[in-house]
Amino acid sequence: MHILNFLKPKAEVAYIDVNSSIRQCVEKMTIHGFTAIPLLASDGTYIGTITEGDLLWFIKNQTDMDLYKAEELSIKEVKRRRDNIPVDINASLEQMFKLALRQNFTPVLDDRKMFIGIVTRRDILTYYQGHVSTSDSDVINPVISTILSRRSIRHYTQEKVTEREINKILDAALAAPSAKNRQPVHILVLRDEKIKEELKETTKYGKMISEAQVVLTVFGDTKQEANEFYLNNDCSAVIENALLAIEALGLGAVWIGTENEKETSFLFEKLSIPQEMKLYGMIALGHPLEEKAPHGSAPFDKTHFNHW
Ligand SMILES: Cc1cc2nc3c(=O)[nH]c(=O)nc-3n(C[C@H](O)[C@H](O)[C@H](O)COP(=O)(O)O)c2cc1C
Protein backbone atom coordinates (compact mmCIF):
# COMPACT_ATOMS: atom_id res chain seq x y z
CA MET A 1 0.00 0.00 0.00
CA HIS A 2 1.13 3.50 -0.86
CA ILE A 3 -0.11 7.01 -0.07
CA LEU A 4 -1.17 7.23 -3.73
CA ASN A 5 -3.93 4.68 -3.02
CA PHE A 6 -5.64 7.28 -0.82
CA LEU A 7 -4.78 10.44 -2.77
CA LYS A 8 -7.51 12.82 -3.87
CA PRO A 9 -5.67 14.58 -6.75
CA LYS A 10 -5.27 18.37 -6.87
CA ALA A 11 -7.78 18.63 -9.75
CA GLU A 12 -10.50 17.34 -7.42
CA VAL A 13 -9.50 19.44 -4.39
CA ALA A 14 -10.86 22.89 -3.45
CA TYR A 15 -7.82 25.06 -2.65
CA ILE A 16 -7.11 28.78 -2.68
CA ASP A 17 -4.28 30.73 -4.31
CA VAL A 18 -2.42 33.05 -1.95
CA ASN A 19 -3.14 36.02 -4.26
CA SER A 20 -6.90 35.61 -3.87
CA SER A 21 -9.10 38.01 -1.96
CA ILE A 22 -10.86 37.20 1.29
CA ARG A 23 -14.17 37.26 -0.57
CA GLN A 24 -12.95 34.65 -3.09
CA CYS A 25 -11.84 32.45 -0.22
CA VAL A 26 -15.17 32.77 1.62
CA GLU A 27 -17.02 31.98 -1.62
CA LYS A 28 -14.90 28.91 -2.33
CA MET A 29 -15.48 27.52 1.16
CA THR A 30 -19.22 28.22 0.96
CA ILE A 31 -19.61 26.60 -2.46
CA HIS A 32 -17.73 23.45 -1.50
CA GLY A 33 -19.05 23.28 2.05
CA PHE A 34 -15.57 22.90 3.59
CA THR A 35 -14.45 24.45 6.86
CA ALA A 36 -10.75 24.37 5.90
CA ILE A 37 -8.91 24.44 2.57
CA PRO A 38 -5.24 24.36 1.49
CA LEU A 39 -3.52 27.67 0.67
CA LEU A 40 -1.11 27.50 -2.28
CA ALA A 41 1.58 29.84 -3.64
CA SER A 42 1.27 30.82 -7.32
CA ASP A 43 3.92 28.24 -8.24
CA GLY A 44 1.82 25.45 -6.70
CA THR A 45 3.76 24.95 -3.48
CA TYR A 46 1.83 24.41 -0.29
CA ILE A 47 1.78 27.32 2.17
CA GLY A 48 -0.73 26.32 4.82
CA THR A 49 -4.40 25.88 5.67
CA ILE A 50 -7.09 28.54 5.87
CA THR A 51 -9.96 27.69 8.17
CA GLU A 52 -13.39 29.21 8.79
CA GLY A 53 -12.12 30.13 12.26
CA ASP A 54 -9.14 32.06 10.81
CA LEU A 55 -11.53 34.05 8.58
CA LEU A 56 -13.97 34.72 11.42
CA TRP A 57 -11.23 36.04 13.72
CA PHE A 58 -9.93 38.24 10.95
CA ILE A 59 -13.38 39.64 10.15
CA LYS A 60 -14.12 40.15 13.86
CA ASN A 61 -11.03 42.33 14.22
CA GLN A 62 -12.03 44.54 11.27
CA THR A 63 -14.40 47.29 12.29
CA ASP A 64 -15.42 48.29 8.75
CA MET A 65 -15.68 44.96 6.96
CA ASP A 66 -18.11 44.70 4.05
CA LEU A 67 -18.29 42.86 0.72
CA TYR A 68 -16.22 45.48 -1.11
CA LYS A 69 -13.48 45.44 1.49
CA ALA A 70 -13.49 41.64 1.45
CA GLU A 71 -12.80 41.85 -2.27
CA GLU A 72 -9.84 44.20 -1.81
CA LEU A 73 -8.19 42.49 1.13
CA SER A 74 -5.80 39.69 0.31
CA ILE A 75 -5.98 36.32 1.96
CA LYS A 76 -2.32 36.94 2.90
CA GLU A 77 -3.56 39.28 5.64
CA VAL A 78 -5.34 36.49 7.50
CA LYS A 79 -3.44 35.00 10.43
CA ARG A 80 -3.60 31.21 10.34
CA ARG A 81 -4.01 29.45 13.67
CA ARG A 82 -2.85 25.97 12.68
CA ASP A 83 -1.67 24.71 9.31
CA ASN A 84 -2.37 21.11 8.38
CA ILE A 85 1.00 19.37 8.25
CA PRO A 86 1.83 18.05 4.77
CA VAL A 87 3.27 14.65 3.99
CA ASP A 88 5.71 13.66 1.27
CA ILE A 89 4.26 11.33 -1.37
CA ASN A 90 6.99 8.80 -0.52
CA ALA A 91 6.45 8.90 3.24
CA SER A 92 5.33 5.77 5.05
CA LEU A 93 1.65 4.98 5.57
CA GLU A 94 2.32 5.08 9.31
CA GLN A 95 3.41 8.72 9.04
CA MET A 96 0.27 9.56 7.10
CA PHE A 97 -2.00 7.78 9.61
CA LYS A 98 -0.37 9.68 12.50
CA LEU A 99 -1.14 12.97 10.75
CA ALA A 100 -4.69 11.83 9.96
CA LEU A 101 -5.29 11.43 13.70
CA ARG A 102 -4.76 15.15 14.27
CA GLN A 103 -6.18 16.67 11.06
CA ASN A 104 -9.16 16.06 8.79
CA PHE A 105 -7.04 16.17 5.66
CA THR A 106 -3.34 15.85 4.98
CA PRO A 107 -1.83 17.81 2.07
CA VAL A 108 0.46 15.63 -0.08
CA LEU A 109 3.61 17.07 -1.69
CA ASP A 110 5.85 15.70 -4.41
CA ASP A 111 9.68 15.67 -4.42
CA ARG A 112 9.75 19.35 -5.44
CA LYS A 113 7.39 20.29 -2.55
CA MET A 114 4.58 20.89 -5.04
CA PHE A 115 1.05 20.30 -3.75
CA ILE A 116 -0.39 17.30 -5.59
CA GLY A 117 -3.54 16.60 -3.58
CA ILE A 118 -4.84 15.58 -0.19
CA VAL A 119 -5.64 12.46 1.78
CA THR A 120 -8.78 12.88 3.88
CA ARG A 121 -9.48 11.01 7.09
CA ARG A 122 -12.76 9.94 5.49
CA ASP A 123 -10.95 8.40 2.51
CA ILE A 124 -8.79 6.34 4.87
CA LEU A 125 -11.77 5.19 6.91
CA THR A 126 -13.82 4.43 3.78
CA TYR A 127 -10.96 2.34 2.41
CA TYR A 128 -10.58 0.34 5.59
CA GLN A 129 -14.32 -0.02 6.04
CA GLY A 130 -14.29 -1.88 2.72
CA HIS A 131 -11.41 -4.13 3.77
CA VAL A 132 -12.33 -5.06 7.35
CA SER A 133 -12.63 -8.81 7.92
CA THR A 134 -16.19 -10.00 7.37
CA SER A 135 -15.84 -13.24 9.29
CA ASP A 136 -15.71 -12.08 12.91
CA SER A 137 -19.06 -10.52 13.58
CA ASP A 138 -21.93 -8.69 11.93
CA VAL A 139 -21.11 -5.58 13.95
CA ILE A 140 -18.04 -4.90 11.85
CA ASN A 141 -19.32 -6.43 8.62
CA PRO A 142 -18.78 -3.55 6.17
CA VAL A 143 -21.68 -4.53 3.90
CA ILE A 144 -24.15 -4.68 6.75
CA SER A 145 -22.89 -1.45 8.30
CA THR A 146 -23.24 0.29 4.90
CA ILE A 147 -26.81 -0.98 4.58
CA LEU A 148 -27.64 0.15 8.12
CA SER A 149 -26.12 3.60 7.76
CA ARG A 150 -27.75 4.46 4.41
CA ARG A 151 -30.30 7.26 4.57
CA SER A 152 -31.84 9.51 1.91
CA ILE A 153 -29.59 12.55 1.45
CA ARG A 154 -31.20 15.54 -0.26
CA HIS A 155 -28.56 18.24 0.22
CA TYR A 156 -25.15 18.14 -1.42
CA THR A 157 -21.94 20.21 -1.55
CA GLN A 158 -20.61 21.36 -4.90
CA GLU A 159 -17.65 18.99 -4.72
CA LYS A 160 -17.42 16.96 -7.92
CA VAL A 161 -18.28 13.28 -8.08
CA THR A 162 -15.47 11.68 -10.09
CA GLU A 163 -15.80 9.43 -13.16
CA ARG A 164 -14.14 6.68 -11.14
CA GLU A 165 -16.81 6.92 -8.46
CA ILE A 166 -19.57 6.90 -11.08
CA ASN A 167 -18.10 3.81 -12.72
CA LYS A 168 -17.93 1.98 -9.38
CA ILE A 169 -21.57 2.87 -8.70
CA LEU A 170 -22.62 1.64 -12.16
CA ASP A 171 -20.72 -1.65 -11.71
CA ALA A 172 -22.38 -2.26 -8.34
CA ALA A 173 -25.82 -1.22 -9.60
CA LEU A 174 -25.87 -3.50 -12.64
CA ALA A 175 -24.57 -6.46 -10.62
CA ALA A 176 -28.07 -6.67 -9.09
CA PRO A 177 -30.18 -9.82 -9.55
CA SER A 178 -32.78 -9.87 -12.33
CA ALA A 179 -35.66 -12.24 -13.07
CA LYS A 180 -34.42 -15.14 -15.21
CA ASN A 181 -31.12 -13.22 -15.39
CA ARG A 182 -32.50 -11.22 -18.31
CA GLN A 183 -30.64 -8.09 -17.17
CA PRO A 184 -33.09 -5.65 -18.77
CA VAL A 185 -31.96 -2.51 -16.87
CA HIS A 186 -30.18 0.50 -18.40
CA ILE A 187 -28.77 3.53 -16.58
CA LEU A 188 -28.43 6.96 -18.16
CA VAL A 189 -26.01 9.24 -16.25
CA LEU A 190 -26.97 12.92 -16.30
CA ARG A 191 -24.47 15.59 -15.33
CA ASP A 192 -25.49 18.38 -17.69
CA GLU A 193 -26.68 21.37 -15.62
CA LYS A 194 -29.31 22.47 -18.14
CA ILE A 195 -30.85 19.03 -18.48
CA LYS A 196 -30.85 18.54 -14.71
CA GLU A 197 -32.59 21.88 -14.25
CA GLU A 198 -35.25 21.01 -16.84
CA LEU A 199 -35.70 17.59 -15.29
CA LYS A 200 -36.11 19.11 -11.84
CA GLU A 201 -38.93 21.31 -13.13
CA THR A 202 -40.88 18.27 -14.33
CA THR A 203 -40.71 16.42 -11.00
CA LYS A 204 -42.94 16.96 -7.99
CA TYR A 205 -40.58 15.47 -5.39
CA GLY A 206 -37.23 15.95 -7.12
CA LYS A 207 -36.31 19.49 -6.18
CA MET A 208 -32.94 18.31 -4.82
CA ILE A 209 -31.88 17.55 -8.43
CA SER A 210 -30.56 21.09 -8.87
CA GLU A 211 -28.15 20.63 -5.92
CA ALA A 212 -27.10 17.14 -7.01
CA GLN A 213 -23.85 16.67 -8.93
CA VAL A 214 -25.22 13.70 -10.85
CA VAL A 215 -28.61 12.14 -11.59
CA LEU A 216 -28.83 8.46 -12.53
CA THR A 217 -31.95 7.64 -14.52
CA VAL A 218 -32.89 3.95 -14.46
CA PHE A 219 -34.73 2.43 -17.43
CA GLY A 220 -36.24 -1.02 -17.94
CA ASP A 221 -36.25 -2.54 -21.42
CA THR A 222 -39.86 -3.64 -22.01
CA LYS A 223 -38.81 -5.82 -24.97
CA GLN A 224 -36.24 -7.74 -22.96
CA GLU A 225 -38.60 -8.19 -20.00
CA ALA A 226 -42.28 -8.10 -20.96
CA ASN A 227 -43.47 -8.86 -17.43
CA GLU A 228 -44.12 -5.43 -15.92
CA PHE A 229 -43.90 -6.74 -12.37
CA TYR A 230 -40.48 -8.33 -12.92
CA LEU A 231 -39.20 -5.28 -14.75
CA ASN A 232 -40.19 -3.06 -11.84
CA ASN A 233 -38.47 -5.47 -9.40
CA ASP A 234 -35.31 -5.63 -11.54
CA CYS A 235 -35.05 -1.83 -11.73
CA SER A 236 -35.66 -1.52 -7.99
CA ALA A 237 -32.85 -3.99 -7.22
CA VAL A 238 -30.50 -1.95 -9.43
CA ILE A 239 -31.50 1.29 -7.70
CA GLU A 240 -30.96 -0.15 -4.22
CA ASN A 241 -27.55 -1.57 -5.22
CA ALA A 242 -26.59 1.88 -6.52
CA LEU A 243 -27.74 3.57 -3.29
CA LEU A 244 -25.62 1.18 -1.23
CA ALA A 245 -22.55 1.67 -3.43
CA ILE A 246 -23.02 5.44 -3.11
CA GLU A 247 -23.16 5.12 0.68
CA ALA A 248 -20.08 2.87 0.70
CA LEU A 249 -18.14 5.54 -1.23
CA GLY A 250 -18.99 8.18 1.38
CA LEU A 251 -21.39 9.96 -1.00
CA GLY A 252 -25.09 10.66 -0.40
CA ALA A 253 -28.18 10.03 -2.53
CA VAL A 254 -31.93 9.80 -2.71
CA TRP A 255 -34.23 7.58 -4.77
CA ILE A 256 -36.69 9.66 -6.80
CA GLY A 257 -39.87 7.91 -7.85
CA THR A 258 -41.12 8.48 -11.40
CA GLU A 259 -44.79 7.90 -11.87
CA ASN A 260 -45.24 11.04 -13.89
CA GLU A 261 -45.38 10.62 -17.69
CA LYS A 262 -44.17 14.20 -18.17
CA GLU A 263 -40.70 13.33 -16.94
CA THR A 264 -40.55 10.37 -19.26
CA SER A 265 -41.56 12.23 -22.40
CA PHE A 266 -39.12 15.09 -21.77
CA LEU A 267 -36.18 12.70 -21.39
CA PHE A 268 -37.20 10.53 -24.32
CA GLU A 269 -37.48 13.41 -26.77
CA LYS A 270 -34.38 15.26 -25.66
CA LEU A 271 -31.97 12.36 -25.22
CA SER A 272 -33.07 9.97 -28.01
CA ILE A 273 -34.05 7.17 -25.65
CA PRO A 274 -35.54 4.16 -27.49
CA GLN A 275 -39.32 3.84 -27.16
CA GLU A 276 -39.13 0.33 -25.66
CA MET A 277 -37.46 1.80 -22.55
CA LYS A 278 -39.52 2.71 -19.49
CA LEU A 279 -38.22 5.05 -16.80
CA TYR A 280 -38.59 3.35 -13.42
CA GLY A 281 -36.69 5.66 -11.11
CA MET A 282 -33.93 8.18 -10.64
CA ILE A 283 -31.15 8.77 -8.12
CA ALA A 284 -29.86 12.24 -7.21
CA LEU A 285 -26.38 12.09 -5.70
CA GLY A 286 -23.43 14.14 -4.55
CA HIS A 287 -21.18 14.74 -1.57
CA PRO A 288 -23.48 14.90 1.46
CA LEU A 289 -24.27 18.22 3.12
CA GLU A 290 -26.48 16.63 5.78
CA GLU A 291 -26.16 13.77 8.22
CA LYS A 292 -28.92 11.47 9.40
CA ALA A 293 -29.09 8.88 12.13
CA PRO A 294 -29.51 5.25 10.99
CA HIS A 295 -32.96 3.64 11.29
CA GLY A 296 -31.71 1.07 13.80
CA SER A 297 -32.93 -2.51 14.30
CA ALA A 298 -35.87 -3.97 12.35
CA PRO A 299 -39.19 -2.96 13.98
CA PHE A 300 -40.57 -5.78 16.12
CA ASP A 301 -44.07 -5.60 14.55
CA LYS A 302 -42.70 -5.90 11.00
CA THR A 303 -40.96 -9.24 11.44
CA HIS A 304 -42.77 -12.56 11.60
CA PHE A 305 -41.45 -16.05 12.20
CA ASN A 306 -43.20 -19.21 10.93
CA HIS A 307 -46.65 -17.57 11.33
CA TRP A 308 -47.90 -13.96 11.25
C1 LIG B 1 -39.96 3.97 -4.75
C2 LIG B 1 -39.43 5.14 -3.99
C3 LIG B 1 -39.67 6.42 -4.46
C4 LIG B 1 -39.16 7.54 -3.79
N1 LIG B 1 -39.36 8.77 -4.31
C5 LIG B 1 -38.83 9.85 -3.68
C6 LIG B 1 -38.97 11.14 -4.26
O1 LIG B 1 -39.53 11.30 -5.34
N2 LIG B 1 -38.43 12.19 -3.60
C7 LIG B 1 -37.78 12.04 -2.39
O2 LIG B 1 -37.32 13.04 -1.82
N3 LIG B 1 -37.61 10.82 -1.82
C8 LIG B 1 -38.12 9.73 -2.44
N4 LIG B 1 -37.92 8.48 -1.92
C9 LIG B 1 -37.14 8.34 -0.68
C10 LIG B 1 -38.05 8.07 0.53
O3 LIG B 1 -38.75 9.25 0.86
C11 LIG B 1 -37.14 7.62 1.70
O4 LIG B 1 -36.53 6.43 1.34
C12 LIG B 1 -37.95 7.43 2.96
O5 LIG B 1 -38.44 8.66 3.44
C13 LIG B 1 -37.11 6.76 4.06
O6 LIG B 1 -35.97 7.51 4.37
P1 LIG B 1 -34.48 6.92 4.21
O7 LIG B 1 -34.24 6.66 2.75
O8 LIG B 1 -33.58 8.00 4.75
O9 LIG B 1 -34.39 5.66 4.98
C14 LIG B 1 -38.41 7.36 -2.57
C15 LIG B 1 -38.16 6.06 -2.11
C16 LIG B 1 -38.66 4.96 -2.81
C17 LIG B 1 -38.33 3.58 -2.31
Side-chain angles (χ1 to χ4, degrees), residues 50 63 72 75-76 84 99-100 108 118 124 128 148 172 188 197 213 243-244 267 280 291:
I50 290 279
T63 46
E72 282 164 22
I75 198 73
K76 286 179 201 153
N84 286 19
L99 289 173
V108 182
I118 60 172
I124 298 174
Y128 280 103
L148 291 177
L188 174 65
E197 206 45 41
Q213 284 294 316
L243 291 178
L244 294 177
L267 282 173
Y280 274 92
E291 262 181 51

Side-chain angles (χ1 to χ4, degrees), residues 150-154 205-206 208 254-257 292 295:
R150 184 218 58 81
R151 292 296 312 275
S152 289
I153 298 299
R154 297 181 177 86
Y205 302 109
M208 76 296 286
V254 62
W255 181 329
I256 304 170
K292 287 183 177 173
H295 283 300

Side-chain angles (χ1 to χ4, degrees), residues 49-226:
T49 311
I50 290 279
T51 69
E52 258 178 4
D54 297 333
L55 290 170
L56 278 177
W57 277 109
F58 181 81
I59 290 166
K60 182 178 169 278
N61 293 331
Q62 301 282 315
T63 46
D64 55 347
M65 194 68 173
D66 60 24
L67 274 181
Y68 294 105
K69 191 137 188 244
E71 223 154 60
E72 282 164 22
L73 283 173
S74 161
I75 198 73
K76 286 179 201 153
E77 315 253 358
V78 176
K79 225 168 116 190
R80 300 187 309 277
R81 204 170 59 86
R82 198 176 84 163
D83 290 323
N84 286 19
I85 299 173
V87 71
D88 188 273
I89 185 70
N90 294 312
S92 68
L93 282 184
E94 213 183 334
Q95 257 176 298
M96 187 187 77
F97 293 160
K98 268 194 194 146
L99 289 173
L101 284 176
R102 72 181 287 278
Q103 53 199 26
N104 271 331
F105 70 84
T106 300
V108 182
L109 313 183
D110 69 9
D111 300 338
R112 296 171 303 132
K113 304 288 170 221
M114 292 290 161
F115 174 82
I116 55 170
I118 60 172
V119 172
T120 67
R121 195 185 286 155
R122 195 168 79 177
D123 287 343
I124 298 174
L125 289 174
T126 307
Y127 178 85
Y128 280 103
Q129 189 195 25
H131 290 78
V132 175
S133 155
T134 56
S135 57
D136 299 341
S137 95
D138 282 349
V139 181
I140 56 156
N141 182 299
V143 178
I144 292 176
S145 71
T146 298
I147 292 170
L148 291 177
S149 59
R150 184 218 58 81
R151 292 296 312 275
S152 289
I153 298 299
R154 297 181 177 86
H155 294 288
Y156 319 93
T157 72
Q158 293 200 7
E159 191 181 346
K160 292 268 172 287
V161 174
T162 64
E163 290 301 320
R164 212 164 145 229
E165 287 167 326
I166 296 287
N167 287 332
K168 280 189 184 166
I169 296 164
L170 296 177
D171 286 346
L174 294 178
S178 64
K180 299 188 181 154
N181 198 18
R182 288 202 171 111
Q183 305 183 12
V185 186
H186 291 245
I187 301 177
L188 174 65
V189 181
L190 299 177
R191 275 184 186 276
D192 185 279
E193 287 302 327
K194 261 169 75 191
I195 292 174
K196 281 200 285 137
E197 206 45 41
E198 260 182 273
L199 183 59
K200 183 205 86 178
E201 290 306 322
T202 63
T203 67
K204 197 168 171 194
Y205 302 109
K207 300 299 169 218
M208 76 296 286
I209 285 177
S210 41
E211 261 185 61
Q213 284 294 316
V214 182
V215 177
L216 305 179
T217 47
V218 179
F219 293 85
D221 184 335
T222 56
K223 272 197 182 151
Q224 222 171 343
E225 179 53 84

Side-chain angles (χ1 to χ4, degrees), residues 10-23:
K10 186 177 174 187
E12 289 171 34
V13 175
Y15 59 85
I16 191 86
D17 185 280
V18 71
N19 296 310
S20 309
S21 68
I22 293 194
R23 183 173 175 177

Side-chain angles (χ1 to χ4, degrees), residues 233-249:
N233 291 169
D234 294 346
C235 287
S236 298
V238 164
I239 294 174
E240 182 63 7
N241 265 22
L243 291 178
L244 294 177
I246 289 165
E247 174 71 24
L249 291 171

